[in-house]
């Protein structure tokens, strides 16, 4: 029997428990700081300062005791002051997170009682959850699991301390004098692998239970939810806004982060080089494109505060999977902070959001946007999306290509006077920079392209693209010579042989098309992407940002033109011959990490009632299949047995049955003589020990456990007999059956 | 109360109680019983949330409301983890109680006014898991004393821990010592689980020892010699042969008899010229109608009996006319004191043997609160 001294050396004493609690509090604070590291909220120097202070306090627990009470009071005032300041000057989320961090820091370095320990746990939970909700990051899964482990250990230690102190022991502040190294050594000393294994198993049980709860908690939509964690983010990637200056789209391409992930099945539904339309801009003014005011303010804007929008914009054909008749479903996961505008390839049948959204629909340009910039991940599904790159425009179907005058649109009022036409849609589709010098250069370029021929829009586009490619090559950097006349930059670029990026090529093409009398508009968005082979989805990065054009054809259909050199696959969308699908496949480490994130989005973040139904159906199907399989197997066994029984019997069969029965009988009889059970048989095989000795040893162990010093004479005799069986010569054994029978009866 | 009865009663009282005492031979039945108790708690089992448990519930409700409001799966994950922690807390709490057993042991006698020690033996019968943070509530019915004993250290599998409770009985009589409940906040302090202690033990509380005044003068001293009686002792007159009992001097061993009987036998002799008294206690209600005076009577009788016994002067005791009981051995004295522990005034005295010898000590109440001990009409002691 271990002595009390041995026992206490294998357990942490009260001082060590306090030290352990102190360290755990520090670990939880560090975990909270990690969760806010990925938060896109300006927290200033608070996280860094907190990190330094927490680590210092963890290692030297006596330090906080040296602070004067005045310092602690001052800390409270400082926290309140910072919070009020943040509230007045910043947004509520930033103020709350900073307040939480300061409170965590305050509590972590304080010598806490139970109430303050619980406060620390709640504070750390709050900041972890808020960071998780705001970032929707894969790391949240790891962080919340680590938090759970820490919190459970923390609560366990608090409970142990409370129990020991309720027994009358108190320790005061003595525990702060324990050196950190000595404490770590003690932790290693008391570490019990068996208990650690049990704790790990318990944690696994927690994870399993929480998974089951997560899958089974009923999901339903609340009709009028309270606005919560509504972060307004005014900043967006400027290349994807209503007003784009030259160079802003190219600026986005310097960032290699993932902007969007697209789930689509089958994979060959994606065109070889997809063009993800986000913003369409009609008005051009001295180096910048924008959506004209006519579109923005007068007509054509519709706002839909709903989850679902059905749009059948004269879809020319619906792309279907061969033979099944299903509509291809696209699921988009657009990272927060990219743009209000939704990236779509073309017209679609149906679009569904996960949460209710306020949508703004631009029917003229066939673009959608949310009313507010969403800093969080936006997820939506699209069905029946047209990937041809062509878009009909019935409103402009009567465009007079001969006279180069667009027809008045019915809902845009009478056409304005000539001088003011350039500012109104659809006249903005033909507007070029004013001024004689600009006009001369443009006209000269168009003449060079057309060469006196009467060209269709497609023919002109081909020639213009070739002309641009012949005169300029591609470069991310554009250096134009200074101009004292302040001419249009695109015109100046056209005049020279300077290299240019996609915006210059697009802008140059648009001006040339307009000068030639073909309505043209700019489009920005993403082009291309790569296929993630791990989770089978499409990845689009910020570096895939691109600008291209759309030109109105004679049939009243807008077709895509990408004049940037190297864009052979998308030069003339829908008019080029269909190419076999050869998606670039990404199998890099980054792709693998991103696939985990996608798995997280698919299985966890996007889990909703439909997913629940799918899980339930899956479980039902699994159960049904298992039952059917088991039943089939049982039927098969029974049938085989019956056939065997019904088949003719011969002497061999009788003999084999008799032998089998005899063997079983001998086996059972042998075991009964030895008074053994099935578990003993297993142990015999493992340990190779005589079964009777084994059984006697088990009884002795039990009797020793039950009573330290038996006083009853019968008990003494029983122990003596068991010892003789366990350790003595076989010749000296008493009747083992009788002894084991008495041993069983002596169980208390 | 005979020795045989005591022995049997003591054996029953030393039975273990608790989940670990009810283990069946077939382990799988224990497991099914455990599962059943998870969903249908046995009678007397209570689970009450603590302050931190209530906070956890409130936080879970808040997170749940936020989850439904925002339809955010991040919050649903958090809610699931919080609820699973609560569930695990309940399961672990029950695991902590499993396999434990306990029993009360104590060494009588208990006397009014003297500290009594009761030991609670707590045993962890589990094979793998330790037991943490258990407390036991003990109570004494008669004195109203209560105590919560806390198992401060971890109790490893197979270990036994003894918790001592010292209390001072205040009243004479038959007391019931109970283990009212066994409780724990293990593991996280969210829930307090308590189960019935299932242990009740009877114990007799003897009257307190008091100081009394011996009032002896020379003429009365002659009567205070008592009468000569023969009683067993270690004198010279040989009386009997009996079996050896631990404590007997070896020089009294009769070796020849021992060889014949194949047991150690000792010579029993008579103590020389011993004098003694008979204590006669009559407690009619009419005479002893004041409870404080009655308690004083019991205390005086007990103190006198002990002192006389110590001086080998106690011969026998008679209570309320019942059978005269010899008081030669310690166990006889203890029996008398046991009787005193539960003695109450009677309506009518039994018409049993009334000893009118010169050595009979009787008791009379005095005003205002006192009690006299009287021999042959002479007061020999007053309290």
């Amino acid at each position: 029997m271990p002595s009390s001294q041995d026992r206490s050396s294998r357990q942490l004493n009260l001082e060590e428990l306090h030290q352990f609690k102190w360290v755990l509090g520090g670990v939880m604070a560090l975990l909270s700081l990690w969760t806010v590291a990925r938060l896109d909220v300006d927290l200033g120097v608070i996280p860094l300062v907190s990190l330094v202070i927490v680590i210092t306090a963890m290692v030297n627990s006596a330090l906080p005791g040296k602070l004067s009470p005045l310092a602690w009071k001052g800390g409270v005032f400082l926290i309140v002051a910072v919070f009020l300041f943040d509230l007045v000057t910043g947004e509520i989320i930033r103020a709350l997170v900073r307040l939480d961090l300061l409170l965590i820091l305050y509590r972590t370095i304080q010598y806490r009682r139970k109430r303050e320990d619980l406060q620390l746990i709640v504070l750390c939970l709050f900041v972890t959850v808020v960071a998780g909700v705001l970032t929707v990051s894969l790391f949240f899964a790891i962080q919340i699991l680590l938090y759970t482990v820490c919190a459970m250990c923390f609560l366990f230690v608090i409970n142990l301390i409370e129990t020991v102190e309720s027994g009358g022991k108190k320790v005061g502040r003595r525990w702060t004098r324990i050196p950190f190294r000595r404490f770590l050594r003690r932790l290693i000393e008391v570490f019990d692998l068996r208990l650690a294994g049990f704790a790990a198993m318990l944690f696994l049980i927690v994870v399993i239970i929480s998974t089951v709860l997560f899958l089974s908690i009923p999901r339903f939509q609340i009709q009028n939810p309270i606005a919560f964690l509504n972060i307004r983010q005014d900043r967006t990637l400027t290349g994807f806004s209503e007003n784009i200056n030259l160079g802003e789209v190219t600026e986005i391409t310097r960032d290699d982060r993932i902007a969007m992930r697209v789930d689509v099945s089958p994979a060959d539904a994606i065109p070889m080089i997809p063009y993800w339309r986000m913003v369409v801009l009609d008005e051009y003014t001295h180096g910048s494109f924008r959506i004209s005011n006519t579109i923005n303010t007068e007509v054509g804007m519709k706002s839909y505060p709903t989850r679902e929008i059905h749009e059948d914009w004269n879809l020319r054909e619906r792309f279907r999977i061969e033979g099944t008749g299903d509509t291809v479903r696209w699921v988009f996961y657009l990272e927060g902070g990219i743009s209000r505008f939704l990236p779509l390839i073309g017209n679609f049948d149906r679009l569904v959001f996960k949460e209710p959204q306020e949508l703004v629909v631009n029917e003229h340009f066939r673009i959608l946007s949310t009313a507010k910039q969403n800093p969080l991940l936006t997820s939506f599904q699209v069905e029946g999306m047209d990937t041809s790159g062509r878009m009909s425009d019935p409103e402009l179907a009567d465009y007079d290509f001969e006279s180069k005058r667009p027809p008045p649109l019915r809902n845009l009022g009478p056409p304005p006077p000539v001088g003011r036409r350039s500012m109104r849609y659809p006249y903005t589709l033909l507007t070029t920079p004013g001024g004689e010098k600009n006009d001369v250069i443009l006209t000269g370029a168009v003449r060079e392209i057309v060469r006196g021929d009467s060209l269709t829009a497609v023919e002109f586009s081909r020639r213009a693209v070739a002309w641009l490619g012949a005169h300029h090559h591609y470069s991310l950097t554009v250096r134009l010579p200074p101009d004292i006349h302040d001419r249009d930059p695109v015109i100046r670029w056209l005049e020279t042989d300077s290299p240019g990026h996609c915006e210059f090529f697009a802008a140059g093409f648009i001006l040339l098309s307009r000068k030639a009398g073909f309505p043209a508009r700019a489009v920005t968005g993403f082009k291309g992407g790569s296929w993630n082979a791990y989770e089978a989805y499409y990845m689009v990065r910020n570096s895939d940002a691109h600008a291209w054009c759309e030109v109105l054809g004679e049939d009243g259909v807008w077709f895509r033109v990408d004049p940037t050199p190297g864009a052979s696959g998308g030069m003339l969308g829908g008019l080029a011959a269909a190419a076999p699908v050869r998606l670039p496949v990404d199998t890099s480490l980054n792709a693998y990490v991103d696939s985990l994130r996608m798995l997280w989005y698919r299985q966890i973040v996007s889990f909703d009632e439909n997913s629940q139904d799918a899980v339930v159906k899956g479980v039902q199907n699994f159960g049904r299949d298992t039952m059917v399989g088991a039943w089939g197997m049982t039927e098969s066994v029974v049938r085989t047995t019956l056939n065997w029984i019904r088949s003719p019997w011969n002497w061999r069969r009788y003999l084999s049955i008799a032998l089998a029965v005899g063997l079983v009988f001998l086996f059972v009889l042998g075991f009964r003589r030895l008074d053994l059970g099935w578990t003993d048989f297993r142990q015999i095989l493992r340990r190779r020990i005589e079964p009777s000795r084994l059984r006697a040893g088990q009884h002795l162990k039990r009797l020793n456990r039950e009573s330290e010093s038996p006083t009853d004479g019968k008990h003494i005799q029983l122990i003596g007999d068991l010892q003789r069986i366990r350790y003595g010569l076989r010749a000296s054994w008493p009747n083992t059956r009788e002894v084991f029978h008495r041993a069983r009866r002596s169980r208390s | 109360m005979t020795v045989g009865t005591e022995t049997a009663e003591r054996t029953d009282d030393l039975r273990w109680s608790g989940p670990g005492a009810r283990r069946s031979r077939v382990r799988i039945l224990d497991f099914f019983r455990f599962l059943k108790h998870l969903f249908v708690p046995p009678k007397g089992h209570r689970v009450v949330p603590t302050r931190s448990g209530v906070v956890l519930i409130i936080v879970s409700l808040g997170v749940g409301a936020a989850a439904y409001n925002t339809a955010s799966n991040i919050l649903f994950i958090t809610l699931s983890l919080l609820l699973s922690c609560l569930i695990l807390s309940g399961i672990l709490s029950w695991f902590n109680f499993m396999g434990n057993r306990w029993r009360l042991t104590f060494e009588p006698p208990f006397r009014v006014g003297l500290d009594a020690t009761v030991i609670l033996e707590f045993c962890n019968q589990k094979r793998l898991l330790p037991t943490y943070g258990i407390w036991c509530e003990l109570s004494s019915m008669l004195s109203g004393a209560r105590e919560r004993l806390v198992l401060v250290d971890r109790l490893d599998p197979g270990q036994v821990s003894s918790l001592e409770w010292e209390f001072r009985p205040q009243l004479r009589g038959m007391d019931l010592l109970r283990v009212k409940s066994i409780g724990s906040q293990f593991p996280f302090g969210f829930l307090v689980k308590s189960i019935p202690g299932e242990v009740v033990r009877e114990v007799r509380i003897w009257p307190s020892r008091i100081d009394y005044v011996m009032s002896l003068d020379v003429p009365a001293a002659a009567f205070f010699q008592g009468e000569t009686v023969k009683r067993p002792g270690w004198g010279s007159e040989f009386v009997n042969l009996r079996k050896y009992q631990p404590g007997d001097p070896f020089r009294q061993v009769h070796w020849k008899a021992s060889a014949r009987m194949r047991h150690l036998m000792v010579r029993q002799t008579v103590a020389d010229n011993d004098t003694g008294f008979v204590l006669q206690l009559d407690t009619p209600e009419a005479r002893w109608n004041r409870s404080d005076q009655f308690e004083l009577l019991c205390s005086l009788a007990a103190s006198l009996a002990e002192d006389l016994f110590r001086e080998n002067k106690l011969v026998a005791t008679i209570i309320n006319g019942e059978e005269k009981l010899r008081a030669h051995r310690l166990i006889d004295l203890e029996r008398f004191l046991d009787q005193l522990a539960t003695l109450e005034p009677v309506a009518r005295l039994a018409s049993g043997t009334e000893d009118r010898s010169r050595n009979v000590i009787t008791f009379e109440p005095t005003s205002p609160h006192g009690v006299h001990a009287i021999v042959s009409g002479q007061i020999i002691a007053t309290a």
Side-chain angles (χ1 to χ4, degrees):
Chain A
M1 183 77 113
S3 66
S4 64
Q5 198 175 355
D6 293 337
R7 217 184 300 168
S8 60
S9 71
R10 285 190 279 118
Q11 300 180 30
L12 293 176
N13 59 27
L14 185 59
E15 289 169 7
E16 288 160 351
L17 280 175
H18 273 281
Q19 182 83 338
F20 192 31
K21 188 183 73 150
W22 178 260
V23 169
L24 278 175
V27 168
M28 286 186 61
L30 291 175
L31 193 60
S32 306
L33 291 172
W34 180 29
T35 62
V36 300
R38 299 178 62 82
L39 204 54
D40 194 18
V41 173
D42 178 27
L43 299 172
V45 298
I46 291 177
L48 186 61
V49 168
S50 302
L51 180 73
V52 170
I53 293 175
V54 165
I55 291 176
T56 308
M58 257 174 70
V59 172
N60 189 348
S61 50
L63 262 181
K66 294 177 183 159
L67 290 173
S68 70
L70 207 58
W72 292 106
K73 288 199 173 79
V76 172
F77 284 115
L78 182 66
I79 292 171
V80 171
V82 168
F83 175 62
L84 288 173
F85 177 75
D86 287 339
L87 213 55
V88 166
T89 59
E91 58 179 42
I92 181 75
I93 296 295
R94 177 171 178 268
L96 279 177
V97 173
R98 276 162 63 98
L99 173 67
D100 201 327
L101 287 179
L102 286 172
L103 288 173
I104 288 173
L105 174 65
Y106 188 84
R107 282 284 177 245
T108 305
I109 61 174
Q110 194 186 29
Y111 296 136
R112 301 179 295 272
R113 291 169 298 178
K114 184 180 177 183
R115 193 184 63 174
E116 283 118 19
D117 289 324
L118 297 178
Q119 286 172 3
L120 179 61
I121 292 174
V122 172
L123 289 168
C124 293
L125 175 67
F126 177 78
V127 86
T128 306
V129 169
V130 165
V133 169
L134 293 180
T135 60
V136 201
S137 161
L138 172 64
F139 283 105
F140 171 77
I142 302 166
Q143 286 158 358
I144 193 69
L145 286 176
L146 285 176
Y147 170 82
T148 306
V149 170
C150 286
M152 281 164 57
C153 291
F154 198 43
L155 287 164
F156 179 61
V157 171
I158 292 170
N159 194 35
L160 278 183
I161 290 173
E162 196 184 354
T163 305
V164 172
E165 286 183 345
S166 67
K169 282 189 194 173
K170 297 279 181 220
V171 78
R173 296 261 178 100
R174 285 200 312 271
W175 62 270
T176 60
R177 293 188 218 127
I178 299 177
F180 191 66
R181 267 198 197 164
R182 182 149 62 101
F183 167 70
L184 287 180
R185 264 202 306 268
R186 274 291 290 152
L187 270 188
I188 295 168
E189 266 176 32
V190 303
F191 179 76
D192 187 339
L193 192 62
R194 201 169 51 180
L195 282 181
F198 182 69
M201 192 188 71
L202 283 177
F203 181 66
L204 195 61
I205 291 173
V206 164
V207 171
I208 291 171
I209 294 175
S210 60
T211 304
V212 169
L213 285 172
F214 176 76
L215 292 175
S216 52
I217 289 177
R219 307 285 206 272
F220 49 84
Q221 288 289 335
I222 295 179
Q223 288 300 321
N224 296 311
I226 301 165
F228 176 72
L229 290 179
N230 265 348
I231 305 177
R232 291 186 65 115
Q233 193 167 0
D234 295 325
R235 59 183 176 85
T236 179
L237 294 178
T238 49
F240 300 139
S241 59
E242 296 96 334
N243 204 328
I244 300 173
N245 295 319
L246 287 173
E248 285 175 354
V249 175
T250 310
E251 192 60 35
I252 298 172
T253 62
R254 297 182 200 283
D255 181 4
D256 204 34
R257 287 180 298 176
I258 303 276
M260 179 174 76
R261 297 170 185 83
V262 185
D263 238 343
V264 59
S265 178
D268 53 7
I270 298 182
M272 194 172 75
I273 300 179
Y275 282 77
W276 313 92
R277 294 169 87 243
M278 290 177 76
V279 193
V280 176
L281 310 130
D282 60 321
E283 186 180 319
Y284 175 78
T285 312
H286 199 77
S288 65
F289 279 94
R290 64 182 192 147
I291 299 176
S292 59
N293 281 337
T294 322
I295 301 296
N296 266 336
T297 60
E298 289 181 16
V299 293
M301 302 291 288
K302 284 185 186 170
S303 175
Y304 291 87
T306 183
R307 283 182 70 204
E308 192 171 310
I309 177 168
H310 291 262
E311 279 294 335
D312 191 359
W313 288 336
N314 298 321
L315 194 65
R316 289 203 311 144
E317 64 175 332
R318 187 173 298 174
F319 193 96
R320 289 180 182 272
I321 299 173
E322 279 190 2
T324 63
D326 291 331
T327 312
V328 176
R329 179 178 289 180
W330 306 65
V331 181
F332 291 80
Y333 300 93
L334 182 66
E335 289 289 334
I338 300 294
S339 176
R340 287 191 303 113
F341 293 89
L342 305 182
L344 298 163
I345 294 181
N347 290 332
F348 56 88
D349 279 339
R350 191 163 175 256
L351 186 144
V352 178
F353 276 89
K354 193 171 174 304
E355 300 97 22
Q357 295 279 346
E358 191 158 352
L359 277 185
V360 176
V361 178
N362 187 330
E363 285 185 335
H364 294 283
F365 296 160
R366 307 295 164 84
I367 57 177
L368 292 177
S369 61
T370 54
K372 289 179 191 148
Q373 168 70 19
N374 191 356
L376 307 180
L377 180 88
T378 304
S379 167
F380 57 94
Q381 289 180 13
V382 176
E383 289 177 17
M385 190 153 64
D386 178 16
T387 59
S388 63
R390 293 165 60 79
M391 213 168 275
S392 65
D393 194 345
E395 287 175 339
L396 295 178
D398 295 334
Y399 174 65
D400 182 0
F401 279 83
E402 292 295 326
S403 63
K404 309 289 186 283
R405 276 198 311 231
L409 296 180
R410 281 185 297 277
N411 53 352
L412 288 178
V418 172
R420 296 175 65 181
R421 280 181 189 179
S422 61
M423 306 309 290
R424 289 196 61 178
Y425 182 82
Y427 301 97
T428 50
L429 297 172
L430 291 168
T431 307
T432 54
E436 193 183 338
K437 289 190 173 60
N438 292 333
D439 196 52
V440 161
I441 292 165
L442 265 184
T443 307
V446 168
R447 210 175 279 138
E448 209 178 306
I449 293 167
V450 173
R451 297 193 292 265
D453 298 329
S454 176
L455 301 174
T456 62
V458 173
E459 288 162 358
F460 176 81
S461 299
R462 281 208 177 101
R463 286 197 191 183
V465 169
W467 185 89
L468 284 169
H471 284 83
H472 305 274
H473 62 267
Y474 184 80
S475 169
L476 282 174
T477 317
V478 178
R479 283 197 190 85
L480 293 175
D483 182 64
I484 53 170
H485 303 290
D486 195 28
R487 286 180 298 166
D488 186 86
V490 177
I491 302 284
R492 283 194 286 127
W493 180 75
L494 284 174
E495 190 185 21
T496 64
D497 287 337
S498 313
H501 46 65
C502 58
E503 289 162 90
F504 272 93
F505 279 95
F509 176 86
I510 287 169
L511 294 183
L512 290 170
S513 294
R514 288 177 178 180
K515 193 64 189 172
F518 299 106
R521 59 195 185 187
V523 183
T524 61
F526 294 104
K527 172 193 157 188
S530 58
W531 185 254
N532 187 305
Y534 295 103
E535 278 294 315
Y537 63 94
Y538 210 70
M539 296 189 300
V540 178
R541 299 175 187 274
N542 283 323
S543 53
D544 295 322
H546 194 54
W548 62 94
C549 318
E550 285 180 349
V551 181
L552 184 69
E554 286 78 4
D555 50 358
V557 173
W558 291 92
F559 61 90
R560 183 177 63 234
V561 178
D562 188 354
T564 308
S568 56
M571 188 188 71
L572 293 173
L575 302 178
V581 173
R582 282 191 307 277
L583 294 172
V585 177
D586 192 346
T587 54
S588 62
L589 180 64
N590 284 339
Y592 176 70
V593 170
D594 198 71
S595 70
L596 294 176
R597 204 170 287 130
M598 186 61 169
L599 198 65
W600 165 253
Y601 289 152
R602 272 182 189 156
Q603 306 298 337
I604 306 294
V605 176
S606 303
F607 191 83
D608 56 7
E609 309 93 272
N610 296 331
S611 314
Q612 248 181 351
D613 289 341
V615 166
V616 169
K617 283 195 179 79
V619 168
Q620 282 176 344
N621 291 339
F622 175 75
R624 195 172 42 237
D625 292 343
T626 309
M627 291 290 295
V628 164
W631 183 248
M633 207 183 307
T634 311
E635 265 190 331
S636 153
V637 165
V638 168
R639 208 176 304 121
T640 310
T641 310
L642 285 176
N643 289 341
W644 183 81
I645 292 170
R646 286 188 196 127
S647 59
W649 283 62
N650 54 24
W651 65 270
R652 276 204 195 88
R653 197 181 277 193
Y654 284 118
L655 183 63
S656 56
I657 290 173
L659 271 173
V661 168
L663 273 172
V664 168
F665 179 72
L666 282 172
F667 191 76
V668 169
L669 193 66
F671 263 72
R672 277 196 60 80
R673 292 262 332 151
L674 294 170
D675 194 34
L676 295 174
W678 168 242
T679 51
D680 301 313
F681 181 64
R682 278 197 335 232
Q683 288 191 5
I684 290 164
L685 289 177
R686 268 193 239 147
R687 293 192 195 180
R688 296 183 199 129
I689 190 173
E690 274 188 81
S692 297
R693 292 188 196 276
L694 187 69
R695 174 52 67 93
Q698 286 169 350
H699 280 299
L700 279 171
K701 212 191 286 187
R702 179 183 57 78
L703 288 169
N704 280 339
R705 218 176 27 232
E706 279 173 3
S707 61
E708 290 185 22
S709 54
T711 52
D712 186 7
K714 281 187 185 170
H715 216 67
I716 294 172
Q717 192 180 352
L718 173 64
I719 288 177
D721 289 340
L722 286 169
Q723 283 173 340
R724 244 188 295 162
I725 297 172
R726 176 69 183 89
Y727 303 112
L729 297 172
R730 187 176 268 280
S732 66
W733 284 6
N735 185 339
T736 53
R737 282 203 72 188
E738 190 257 332
V739 170
F740 293 146
H741 181 64
R742 276 192 286 134
R744 276 201 304 277
R745 289 197 62 176
S746 75
R747 275 195 179 130
S748 57
Chain B
M1 186 164 53
T2 64
V3 170
T5 306
E6 266 186 355
T7 306
E9 199 166 337
R10 196 174 298 129
T11 303
D12 287 341
D13 285 345
L14 285 180
R15 263 186 319 190
W16 294 92
S17 301
R22 287 190 290 272
R23 283 185 153 181
S24 61
R25 293 182 187 182
V26 181
R27 291 277 183 253
I28 195 80
L29 290 178
D30 287 334
F31 178 68
F32 282 127
R33 193 190 303 132
F34 160 69
L35 281 182
K36 180 191 158 199
H37 287 167
L38 275 181
F39 296 100
V40 183
K43 193 178 170 186
H45 288 229
R46 289 174 60 204
V47 177
V48 176
T50 58
R51 205 181 304 176
S52 49
V54 169
V55 166
L56 174 69
I57 292 169
I58 291 171
V59 167
S60 302
L61 286 173
V63 169
Y68 277 107
N69 186 55
T70 58
S72 166
N73 280 319
I74 300 296
L75 292 172
F76 278 117
I77 290 171
T78 309
L79 178 64
S80 307
L81 277 169
L82 288 172
L83 293 177
S84 63
C85 284
L86 202 55
I87 293 170
L88 180 74
S89 175
I91 295 174
L92 280 181
S93 177
W94 184 232
F95 263 125
N96 199 40
F97 281 102
M98 259 176 70
N100 291 317
R101 60 180 189 176
W102 50 86
R103 65 180 175 188
L104 269 183
T105 59
F106 47 79
E107 284 298 324
F110 288 6
R111 292 199 89 138
V112 172
L114 284 186
D115 285 339
T117 303
V118 177
I119 294 176
L120 179 74
E121 288 182 14
F122 201 94
C123 174
N124 180 7
Q125 288 273 83
K126 296 194 280 285
R127 285 189 184 178
L128 292 173
L129 299 173
T131 296
Y132 287 96
I134 295 279
W135 72 70
C136 313
E137 286 197 353
L138 277 69
S139 69
S140 157
M141 189 194 73
L142 207 55
S143 61
R146 282 184 170 197
E147 183 76 5
R148 177 179 276 203
L149 303 177
V150 179
L151 202 62
V152 167
D153 291 327
R154 179 180 89 200
L155 199 62
D156 286 327
Q159 274 184 354
V160 180
S161 184
S162 298
L163 303 171
E164 281 186 8
W165 175 35
E166 277 195 8
F167 79 103
R168 187 168 286 194
Q170 300 296 328
L171 295 172
R172 168 188 68 91
M174 191 62 100
D175 197 357
L176 288 177
L177 297 178
R178 270 179 216 276
V179 178
K180 285 195 74 179
S181 65
I182 307 286
S184 175
Q185 286 191 16
F186 181 82
F188 306 127
F190 294 146
L191 304 168
V192 175
K193 183 170 173 62
S194 61
I195 63 175
E198 299 169 353
V199 175
V200 178
R201 286 199 64 186
E202 278 184 342
V203 63
R204 286 174 195 266
I205 311 289
W206 291 347
S208 60
R209 232 200 111 72
I210 57 168
D211 294 329
Y212 56 88
V213 177
M214 288 294 287
S215 47
L216 282 177
D217 54 7
V218 173
F223 294 100
F224 198 63
Q225 296 298 320
E227 287 187 356
T228 303
V229 295
K230 285 189 177 175
R231 58 192 297 136
W234 300 115
S236 52
E237 186 179 338
F238 175 76
V239 173
N240 192 17
L241 272 178
R242 61 170 175 81
K243 275 189 184 171
Y244 173 81
Q245 287 173 3
D248 292 340
F250 287 138
R251 61 186 166 80
Q252 291 296 99
V253 174
H254 196 298
W255 294 107
K256 280 189 178 169
S258 301
R260 259 200 317 275
M261 306 291 289
R262 289 184 178 273
H263 289 287
L264 275 177
M265 303 295 285
V266 295
R267 278 183 285 266
Q268 190 166 14
T269 56
V270 174
D272 295 331
N273 288 327
D274 214 352
T275 53
F277 292 90
V278 174
L279 231 56
Q280 181 171 314
L281 215 58
D282 293 326
T283 61
E285 271 176 355
R287 202 188 304 168
W288 301 98
N289 50 16
R290 294 179 57 140
S291 57
D292 57 336
Q293 217 169 27
F294 188 79
E295 292 302 317
L296 193 60
L297 162 70
C298 296
S299 299
L300 177 59
S303 307
L304 207 51
E306 281 177 316
D307 291 339
L308 289 174
F309 183 84
R310 199 172 297 118
E311 291 172 16
N312 280 334
K313 287 191 171 137
L314 185 64
V315 174
T317 59
I318 306 170
I319 296 185
N320 286 328
E322 288 173 1
E323 185 191 349
K324 184 177 177 179
L325 298 173
R326 293 283 173 191
H328 294 161
R329 302 166 296 172
L330 183 61
I331 200 167
D332 298 328
L333 175 67
E334 287 176 355
R335 193 165 41 192
F336 173 64
L337 291 172
D338 284 340
Q339 286 177 317
L340 281 181
T342 53
L343 185 64
E344 297 292 336
V346 294
R348 210 160 46 91
L349 288 177
S351 55
T353 54
E354 192 181 320
D355 199 323
R356 294 185 185 279
S357 316
R358 285 194 311 163
N359 63 339
V360 174
I361 301 176
T362 57
F363 298 88
E364 292 289 336
T366 68
S367 59
H369 305 293
V371 175
H372 285 321
I374 298 168
V375 173
S376 300
Q378 295 286 329
I379 296 171
I380 60 161
T382 303

